[in-house]
Amino acid sequence: GYTELDSIVGELTVRSLKEGWPFKSKELPNRFLHDFKPANLFEKIAMKKLGSTDFSMEMAHLELAGYYEKQKNFADAYREYLALIHSIPYETEFYEKAATLLLMNGDYQQAFKLLSKSLKIYPTFFAVKWLGLIHLKSNNLKQALEYLEKAEMMSANDPQVLYNLCRIYLQTGNEPAGYELYKRLKNIAPNSAYAKDLDNRFRNE
């Protein structure tokens, strides 16, 4: 739960304190925040934190993580989100942001662990859906069906959920249920890759 940003905020906090009383005379103003010129993004965000009571450490980690993501530096962005999870472990948004980076990198096992933890805090659609999709990727059809049916109840018009639920129904021999989902998907996203794939499947049957 600690990154380079925390270290720099701590260092600059100490330097700011040393520019005022009792390290210097009460009569002398503490001009550290005014005079300090940040040399890099870490120091810029750290000074933003020190100079404003409205800019929290959590906001600082989010800003840095966002910068890393724009730079395609997903490993460092992931570490910032982990720091946020440690500092506010009941905020599911941070679990989802970290899990998204893991999913992009193909680390489904670690993403599964994070999303399972977030589910104990609050069952978000994102977590339920992706736990189902990870189970499906591992061919755990029973568990995948359980999660994806829950996800479909939480958000009835998600094309990815409808598509994968339909696939499970077809694989398990429940073709009527699969066809119903296919028709819904055709209404919601007729030109999607999901619908086109199912077009081929039902056309060949």
Side-chain angles (χ1 to χ4, degrees):
Y2 190 87
T3 71
E4 185 176 353
L5 178 61
D6 297 279
S7 179
I8 291 173
V9 168
E11 176 188 337
L12 293 182
T13 299
V14 171
R15 289 177 61 180
S16 177
L17 289 171
K18 286 186 175 180
E19 288 298 312
W21 185 86
F23 301 98
K24 293 189 176 181
S25 172
K26 287 184 178 181
E27 284 72 33
L28 296 175
N30 186 335
R31 295 185 54 83
F32 178 79
L33 295 179
H34 181 269
D35 294 341
F36 183 82
K37 298 296 187 288
N40 51 51
L41 180 62
F42 295 106
E43 292 184 352
K44 182 178 179 181
I45 295 176
M47 290 301 291
K48 190 175 177 181
K49 163 68 179 71
L50 295 180
S52 172
T53 56
D54 296 326
F55 190 73
S56 65
M57 198 64 217
E58 289 73 33
M59 294 169 72
H61 281 294
L62 276 174
E63 183 171 318
L64 185 55
Y67 169 80
Y68 282 141
E69 287 196 62
K70 288 180 181 178
Q71 299 299 311
K72 310 284 186 196
N73 184 351
F74 300 128
D76 283 335
Y78 174 70
R79 280 189 278 273
E80 296 303 318
Y81 290 133
L82 279 188
L84 287 164
I85 288 171
H86 280 281
S87 61
I88 309 179
Y90 49 83
E91 179 52 72
T92 57
E93 175 191 358
F94 304 145
Y95 291 85
E96 292 181 6
K97 287 180 177 294
T100 297
L101 296 179
L102 293 170
L103 292 166
M104 289 170 59
N105 198 42
D107 191 346
Y108 298 102
Q109 183 177 5
Q110 188 60 31
F112 187 89
K113 290 179 181 178
L114 269 183
L115 292 173
S116 295
K117 286 182 179 179
S118 77
L119 210 62
K120 295 176 182 178
I121 302 166
Y122 187 80
T124 65
F125 169 73
F126 180 91
V128 172
K129 177 176 86 167
W130 274 102
L131 287 170
L133 293 176
I134 294 171
H135 271 303
L136 181 58
K137 187 173 182 65
S138 300
N139 206 35
N140 300 325
L141 296 185
K142 182 179 178 181
Q143 294 91 333
L145 180 62
E146 178 183 343
Y147 279 106
L148 290 176
E149 284 183 335
K150 287 181 181 178
E152 192 268 335
M153 287 189 288
M154 297 169 78
S155 181
N157 295 326
D158 184 87
Q160 191 176 26
V161 170
L162 295 179
Y163 168 72
N164 285 289
L165 259 182
C166 180
R167 288 175 57 208
I168 295 174
Y169 287 141
L170 293 178
Q171 288 183 61
T172 56
N174 191 350
E175 294 187 8
Y179 186 68
E180 287 302 314
L181 290 181
Y182 166 64
K183 289 194 297 183
R184 282 172 55 191
L185 180 60
K186 288 288 288 181
N187 287 328
I188 295 166
N191 298 318
S192 65
Y194 300 128
K196 290 177 181 178
D197 180 62
L198 292 177
D199 285 340
N200 294 329
R201 296 188 185 215
F202 283 101
R203 188 180 298 123
N204 294 331
E205 291 186 357

